[in-house]
């Protein structure tokens, strides 16, 4: 299936732990994104990579570090997890020139206890 | 203040009825306006994309309108079905940075039999 996929779908962990979320897209897109959706349902952009280069880096704690090994993958590593990090994290991808339409993954629900 | 405001926050309609969702935005100038549908536990899926020069765009029973002068958009759902129960999110892409979208908080639609 052509899609944006994320793993894991659910992640429950203790405060202070380090965790990673993986994202892969097989749509051949050049740009990938990480979004955070909080309990109020707002989607907020965190990072964006274009051809493995960081192009958007919003005001996100430096405990969050994205890594793009190639243009089909964008992983998110989070250090020293805090209660406020609990949210749903969405990965997305787009191809410049086609209204830059973004295709979203299924989301990863992170719960920090 | 968020640059994209949606109303109502939620609504309940009976199967077969029509409804209209509203979106007001302040992003200016903008490149395009999108409506996304987000089912519970899933990522957003694009319904329509309109450039600043378009007034209306349809996708099956979904019709979006855009008034760039008043900075308003609406999404009309015709003959609602149970599967239309979801959150509908208005998203505006600024002209200066097509990668950095502004999201509304969404309108949660519940269709009852």
């Amino acid at each position: 299936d052509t899609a944006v996929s994320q793993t894991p779908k659910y992640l429950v962990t203790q405060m202070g732990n380090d965790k990673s979320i993986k994202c892969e897209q097989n749509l051949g897109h050049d740009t990938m994104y990480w979004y955070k959706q909080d309990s109020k349902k707002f989607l907020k952009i965190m990072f964006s990579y274009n051809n493995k280069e960081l192009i958007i880096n919003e005001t996100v704690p430096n405990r969050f570090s994205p890594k793009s090994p190639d243009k089909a993958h964008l992983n998110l590593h989070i250090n020293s997890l805090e209660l406020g990090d609990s949210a749903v994290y969405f990965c997305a991808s787009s191809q410049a020139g086609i209204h830059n339409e973004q295709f979203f993954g299924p989301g990863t629900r992170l719960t920090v206890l | 203040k968020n640059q994209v405001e949606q109303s109502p926050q939620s609504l309940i309609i009976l199967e077969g009825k029509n409804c209209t969702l509203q979106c007001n935005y302040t992003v200016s100038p903008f490149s395009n306006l999108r409506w996304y549908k987000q089912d519970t536990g899933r990522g957003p899926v694009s319904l329509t994309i309109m450039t600043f020069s378009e007034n209306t765009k349809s996708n099956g029973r979904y019709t979006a309108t855009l008034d760039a002068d008043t900075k308003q958009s609406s999404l009309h759902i015709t003959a609602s079905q149970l599967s239309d129960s979801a959150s509908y999110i208005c998203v505006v892409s600024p002209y200066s940075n097509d990668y950095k979208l502004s999201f509304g908080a969404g309108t949660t639609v519940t269709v009852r039999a």
Side-chain angles (χ1 to χ4, degrees), chain A residues 60-90:
Chain A
V60 176
N62 56 16
R63 298 182 294 104
F64 291 78
S65 52
K67 282 192 170 50
S68 183
D70 55 60
K71 73 174 191 177
H73 296 84
L74 180 62
N75 303 323
L76 183 65
H77 188 76
I78 315 170
N79 289 329
S80 303
L81 278 156
E82 300 177 356
L83 294 177
D85 297 333
S86 295
V88 182
Y89 292 84
F90 286 98

Side-chain angles (χ1 to χ4, degrees), chain B residues 31-51:
Chain B
S31 173
N32 56 70
L33 184 145
R34 315 145 190 238
W35 283 92
Y36 279 87
K37 178 186 180 189
Q38 185 175 18
D39 291 313
T40 301
R42 311 285 289 269
V45 174
S46 180
L47 289 175
T48 62
I49 298 178
M50 291 180 290
T51 66

Side-chain angles (χ1 to χ4, degrees), chain B residues 4-109:
Chain B
V4 180
E5 299 282 349
Q6 291 187 242
S7 61
Q9 189 173 18
S10 62
L11 68 96
I12 299 173
I13 57 174
L14 292 177
E15 191 177 12
K17 297 296 185 184
N18 305 335
C19 68
T20 301
L21 316 180
Q22 300 292 341
C23 173
N24 295 337
Y25 62 92
T26 57
V27 179
S28 182
F30 76 101
S31 173
N32 56 70
L33 184 145
R34 315 145 190 238
W35 283 92
Y36 279 87
K37 178 186 180 189
Q38 185 175 18
D39 291 313
T40 301
R42 311 285 289 269
V45 174
S46 180
L47 289 175
T48 62
I49 298 178
M50 291 180 290
T51 66
F52 61 87
S53 60
E54 293 179 290
N55 297 122
T56 187
K57 183 72 68 82
S58 290
N59 178 357
R61 295 179 296 100
Y62 300 102
T63 300
T65 64
L66 173 63
D67 186 335
D69 292 330
T70 61
K71 297 186 173 60
Q72 294 180 324
S73 176
S74 65
L75 181 70
H76 187 75
I77 305 175
T78 303
S80 60
Q81 300 177 358
L82 296 178
S83 60
D84 293 331
S85 295
S87 179
Y88 293 84
I89 305 172
C90 177
V91 184
V92 181
S93 175
Y95 187 80
S96 58
N97 187 340
D98 212 17
Y99 298 105
K100 195 172 170 183
L101 308 179
S102 291
F103 289 79
T107 293
T108 301
V109 174

Side-chain angles (χ1 to χ4, degrees), chain A residues 91-106:
Chain A
C91 177
S93 71
S94 69
Q95 181 66 32
I98 313 175
H99 295 307
N100 201 25
E101 181 177 358
Q102 295 188 18
F103 293 80
F104 286 80

